[in-house]
Amino acid sequence: MFEDIGKPNLVTLLTLGLISAVLPKLLPQMRPAVGTAVNIVIDLLTESEAEAAEELIEALVSSTVAEINKEVSRPADPQQSRREVERRVAHFKDRARRRAHRWGADEHDRQHRYRRHLTKLRDAVDRSKHQHQDWRRDILDDLGESLEEAV
């Protein structure tokens, strides 16, 4: 539900188109103002979509990194922790793909959005590495390498 907040929908675009077509005919002196208003609304819709997408990426990245850090901080079996971290990253990638598919205009845009998700996760993992040592840091190093290959 929250993922569709900034995404322009058909009703909004049709309403905007109808107003921009009818208002200048009713009030000819308003033609330049209507054109300017339509451009402003389109710019705001585009900007709000971009901001919403970035906020959603940040939320997904921060929750995933928090889960990963929690998992590697446990005094558990290194192999079990590695499997759990890989499972969480796979979940992240699945959500990132779905979001990219939902928000992307075409295949190129979808790939770009997906890579942006992975890049942000890789950067966040790199920033959190200093909190860990030994096999825990090795897991994060390997995770960073696998995310690098995917980008």
Side-chain angles (χ1 to χ4, degrees):
M1 180 172 109
F2 291 114
E3 293 179 0
D4 293 332
I5 288 175
K7 195 171 183 180
N9 60 29
L10 185 59
V11 174
T12 304
L13 294 177
L14 288 176
T15 303
L16 182 61
L18 183 64
I19 289 172
S20 66
V22 173
L23 195 57
K25 291 185 187 328
L26 295 175
L27 302 168
Q29 69 275 16
M30 295 291 293
R31 182 170 283 144
V34 170
T36 302
V38 168
N39 286 338
I40 289 171
V41 168
I42 290 172
D43 289 344
L44 287 174
L45 284 173
T46 303
E47 186 177 320
S48 68
E49 186 270 336
E51 288 176 6
E54 285 300 314
E55 288 176 12
L56 289 169
I57 291 172
E58 289 298 324
L60 181 59
V61 166
S62 64
S63 66
T64 302
V65 169
E67 291 172 357
I68 289 170
N69 284 329
K70 182 179 170 184
E71 183 59 41
V72 297
S73 295
R74 289 184 186 173
D77 174 38
Q79 293 305 319
Q80 180 184 357
S81 289
R82 183 177 297 275
R83 283 190 302 272
E84 191 60 32
V85 166
E86 288 171 355
R87 187 182 69 76
R88 293 176 195 274
V89 170
H91 179 72
F92 174 89
K93 287 179 177 180
D94 182 55
R95 298 237 1 232
R97 269 191 211 94
R98 285 186 303 192
R99 286 181 178 181
H101 184 72
R102 183 179 304 127
W103 287 71
D106 56 23
E107 190 56 35
H108 177 73
D109 187 34
R110 290 179 189 118
Q111 287 296 320
H112 175 73
R113 289 170 185 266
Y114 179 67
R115 285 191 307 270
R116 199 164 73 218
H117 276 80
L118 295 181
T119 299
K120 288 193 177 281
L121 180 60
R122 185 195 64 230
D123 293 345
V125 167
D126 286 345
R127 286 190 303 272
S128 72
K129 284 181 186 177
H130 73 279
Q131 301 172 12
H132 306 285
Q133 297 176 4
D134 305 326
W135 60 267
R136 293 168 173 87
R137 181 154 181 156
D138 291 342
I139 291 174
L140 296 180
D141 285 337
D142 294 345
L143 182 61
E145 291 172 11
S146 72
L147 290 171
E148 185 70 37
E149 292 169 3
V151 175

